[in-house]
Amino acid sequence: EIRKKTIKGLKAGDEFTVARTFSQEDMTTFARVTRDYNPVHFDDRFASGKKFKGRICHGLLTAGMVTEIGGQIGWLATQMNFEFKKPVYFDDTITCHFTITEVDEHGSARAEAKMENQDGITVVEAWLTGRLPGSRDIEVLKAMVTEGDPTNGLRPSRE
């Protein structure tokens, strides 16, 4: 649906929402990729010393939800700023609300995002800038969607 909205044209005020439940496996995979083995993610004793109720997910793993939306749009990020408000624990379900706030005549855009846990508590806020897809990009995106969007790992299963 996000790609279909992109094909129709993006403008200030457009909103997108995605949700995801974060698991210990997600965190472990993220740690392997980033090489961030901070004990707050792996050791309950260390996490409790930071006043957390248990081990927590990496902040950038959670904040990365903006890249799910950006990737579906075809947004080319130029800047991302995050404010980490509260920890995210394993099995928390986080909802990311992403809003395009400005678009100029050259396709440069600004957006804001807010991520909330299953209790409605804001865990991350983000402010982003980037480039929206141009007319040629949208034509390619339209062809990809028409072809079944074969490179999109988030497309619905065809089984």
Side-chain angles (χ1 to χ4, degrees), residues 44-74:
D44 286 319
R45 298 167 301 175
F46 195 89
S48 70
K50 299 290 185 190
K51 307 287 188 241
F52 297 131
K53 63 181 181 183
R55 296 175 297 136
I56 63 171
C57 293
H58 295 78
L60 285 177
L61 173 60
T62 305
M65 291 181 77
V66 299
T67 65
E68 176 182 342
I69 295 169
Q72 293 299 308
I73 290 172

Side-chain angles (χ1 to χ4, degrees), residues 7 19 22 26 50 75 79 83 85 107 122 135 145 147 150:
I7 290 166
F22 288 94
D26 294 328
K50 299 290 185 190
W75 172 289
Q79 187 174 25
E83 184 175 345
K85 310 279 241 172
T122 300
S135 57
V145 169
E147 295 161 0

Side-chain angles (χ1 to χ4, degrees), residues 121-143:
I121 296 169
T122 300
V123 295
V124 180
E125 290 182 343
W127 299 267
L128 317 144
T129 61
R131 302 265 313 144
L132 296 178
S135 57
R136 184 182 181 297
D137 303 322
I138 290 173
E139 288 305 313
V140 172
L141 194 58
K142 187 186 295 185

Side-chain angles (χ1 to χ4, degrees), residues 83-96:
E83 184 175 345
F84 301 97
K85 310 279 241 172
K86 297 285 182 183
V88 173
Y89 298 97
F90 304 129
D91 299 321
D92 278 355
T93 298
I94 307 300
T95 301
C96 177

